[in-house]
C-alpha cells in the first residue's frame, strides 16, 4: 500500500450518500436468490458484473431495481446492511447516513416493517460491532407520483423517531423536485431533514427547485449546479453540503473521465463538497476507492482530502457534541 493509499484508508470520514440497495454485491445477490428461490437472469457472479456497463442513469436503475428483487425477508435486509458496514469499517468510516428505497420493496408486496426493521437492526449491529454510528434516510422514487410518496410517508410514520429524514432519488430527467413539494413540506413539518438528488443528470433549475421548493438541508450530487454562477454563490454562501459521488459520476457518464471530475473545482469555489460511493456494488468501489479515484484523477493533495473528510462531518446530521468529537479525531489524524 502506498503512503497515499493508507492515508486515504485511515482518514476519519462520514459517508452521506449511499443507497443500501446499491451495496448488494453479486455474491450476496446469488446467495439470497438461492435462499428465496428466485431465478436470476445471470449464470454467474462474473456475468452479473459484466452486465454493469451503463451509459446513463436509467441504464443503471433498470438493473439496480431488478437486483433488489432478491431482498425479501428482514434477515435479508439485515445481512445487506451489516455487509455494507463491515466493508466500510475497513475504509475509515466513523459515521454513515444511508438511503433506502421502500417503494422498490413495498410495490412487490414486501411489508414496510420488514424492510426498515431489517435495516435498523443491521445499523444497530454495526454500531455494536464496529462503533460506526449511522442514520437512515427514506427516499421517495421520483418516477412515481406524489400520491405514492405520500402513501409511503404515511406508512413510515410509526418509525419517524428512527429515521433522520427523507430524500428523493431515481430517474431525474422529466421528474423535477416541484412534483414533491407537498410531501416534502409534510416531512419538514414532522421534524424530518430533507435531501434530494438534483443536478446529477437534470439541469441546474432542478437544484434551484430543491432549494426553494423542497427546502433541502443537503444536496445529493449537484454536479450541474456548476453551470450556474448565481447558484454556485447561493450554495457557497449557505454552506450547503454536496454529496458528490466520483465513481458513480464516471460510470453513469456524468463525467467523461476522472481527470475531468469537478471535485477540486467545487472546493475552489467554496462549496462544501464531500466524497461518497452512491451504489458501490455497481460502480466499482466503496468510499475509500472513491477518494482514491478522485485523488488520482485530479492529483488531490492530503490537505484537500482532509477538507473533503471535514466537510463530511460538517454536512452530517449530527448533534454538536458528536460532530466535535469526530472533527477532533480528524484533526488528530491530520496532524499526526
Ligand atoms: N438510486 C440509486 N442511485 C441513484 C442515483 N445515483 N441517482 C438517482 N437515483 C439513484
Ligand atoms: Zn444516489
Amino acid at each position: 500500500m502506498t503512503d497515499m493509499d493508507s492515508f486515504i484508508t485511515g482518514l476519519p470520514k462520514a459517508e452521506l450518500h449511499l443507497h443500501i440497495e446499491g451495496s448488494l454485491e453479486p455474491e450476496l445477490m446469488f446467495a439470497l436468490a438461492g435462499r428465496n428461490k428466485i431465478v436470476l437472469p445471470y449464470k454467474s457472479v462474473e456475468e452479473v458484473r459484466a452486465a454493469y456497463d451503463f451509459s446513463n442513469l436509467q441504464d443503471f436503475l433498470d438493473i439496480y431495481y431488478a437486483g433488489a428483487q432478491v431482498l425479501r425477508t428482514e434477515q435479508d435486509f439485515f445481512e445487506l446492511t451489516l455487509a455494507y458496514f463491515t466493508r466500510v469499517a475497513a475504509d475509515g468510516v466513523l459515521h454513515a447516513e444511508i438511503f433506502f428505497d421502500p417503494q422498490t420493496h413495498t410495490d412487490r408486496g414486501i411489508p414496510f416493517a420488514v424492510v426498515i426493521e431489517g435495516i435498523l437492526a443491521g445499523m444497530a449491529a454495526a454500531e455494536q460491532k464496529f462503533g460506526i454510528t449511522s442514520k437512515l434516510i427514506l427516499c421517495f422514487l421520483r418516477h412515481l407520483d406524489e400520491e405514492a410518496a405520500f402513501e409511503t410517508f404515511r406508512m413510515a410514520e410509526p418509525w419517524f423517531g428512527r429515521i433522520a429524514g427523507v430524500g428523493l432519488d431515481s430517474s431525474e430527467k422529466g421528474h423535477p423536485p416541484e412534483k414533491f413539494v407537498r410531501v416534502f413540506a409534510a416531512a419538514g413539518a414532522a421534524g424530518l431533514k430533507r435531501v434530494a438528488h438534483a443536478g446529477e443528470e437534470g439541469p441546474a433549475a432542478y437544484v434551484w427547485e430543491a432549494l426553494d421548493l423542497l427546502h433541502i438541508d443537503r444536496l445529493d450530487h449537484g454536479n450541474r449546479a456548476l453551470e450556474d454562477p448565481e447558484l454556485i454563490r447561493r450554495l457557497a454562501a449557505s454552506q450547503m453540503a454536496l454529496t458528490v459521488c466520483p465513481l458513480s459520476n464516471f460510470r453513469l457518464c456524468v463525467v467523461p473521465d476522472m481527470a475531468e471530475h469537478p471535485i477540486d473545482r467545487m472546493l475552489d469555489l467554496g462549496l462544501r463538497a464531500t466524497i461518497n460511493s452512491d451504489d458501490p456494488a455497481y460502480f466499482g468501489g466503496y468510499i475509500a476507492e472513491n477518494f482514491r479515484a478522485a485523488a488520482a484523477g485530479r492529483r488531490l493533495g492530503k490537505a484537500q482530502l482532509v477538507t473533503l473528510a471535514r466537510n463530511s462531518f460538517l454536512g452530517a446530521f449530527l448533534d454538536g457534541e458528536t460532530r466535535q468529537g469526530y472533527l477532533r479525531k480528524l484533526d488528530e489524524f491530520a496532524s499526526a
Side-chain angles (χ1 to χ4, degrees), residues 17 19 197 221 278:
H17 188 151
H19 301 264
H197 285 54
H221 295 294
D278 207 2

Side-chain angles (χ1 to χ4, degrees), residues 8-28:
I8 286 173
T9 303
L11 188 64
K13 56 181 83 62
E15 171 136 78
L16 305 179
H17 188 151
L18 176 282
H19 301 264
I20 196 64
E21 295 90 347
S23 72
L24 176 62
E25 291 288 347
E27 288 80 2
L28 184 58

Side-chain angles (χ1 to χ4, degrees), residues 17 19 57 60-61 64-65 101 169-171 197 200 221 248 252 278-279 283:
H17 188 151
H19 301 264
L57 175 59
F60 155 70
L61 289 170
Y64 160 86
Y65 294 132
D101 285 343
D169 66 359
S170 193
S171 320
H197 285 54
E200 180 184 19
H221 295 294
S248 165
L252 299 184
D278 207 2
D279 302 283
F283 300 146

Side-chain angles (χ1 to χ4, degrees), residues 5 16-17 28 32 49 82 110 112 122 139 141 146 161 185 187 207 209 213 228 242 263 272 306 317 331:
D5 275 341
L16 305 179
H17 188 151
L28 184 58
L32 297 183
R49 288 219 162 82
L82 189 54
I110 313 295
F112 184 88
C139 279
L141 299 180
E146 191 181 41
V207 177
E209 285 187 19
L213 303 180
D228 181 338
L242 273 66
I263 190 72
R272 184 172 279 177
V306 170
F317 298 140
D331 287 338

Side-chain angles (χ1 to χ4, degrees), residues 171-186:
S171 320
E172 189 180 7
K173 284 184 181 164
H175 300 287
E178 183 259 327
K179 247 179 98 173
F180 297 92
V181 167
R182 285 153 293 264
V183 75
F184 267 66

Side-chain angles (χ1 to χ4, degrees), residues 316-333:
F317 298 140
L318 291 167
D319 65 76
E321 194 183 327
T322 311
R323 191 191 318 282
Q324 287 311 316
Y326 285 140
L327 289 170
R328 267 196 303 278
K329 284 193 180 171
L330 175 62
D331 287 338
E332 280 164 25
F333 177 87

Side-chain angles (χ1 to χ4, degrees), residues 282-325:
Y282 291 86
F283 300 146
Y286 287 75
I287 188 168
E289 206 52 39
N290 276 270
F291 268 85
R292 271 189 268 284
R298 295 299 307 159
R299 300 177 186 281
L300 303 181
K302 288 183 181 175
Q304 286 164 302
L305 300 175
V306 170
T307 298
L308 288 160
R310 182 178 315 281
N311 288 348
S312 73
F313 294 119
L314 294 173
F317 298 140
L318 291 167
D319 65 76
E321 194 183 327
T322 311
R323 191 191 318 282
Q324 287 311 316

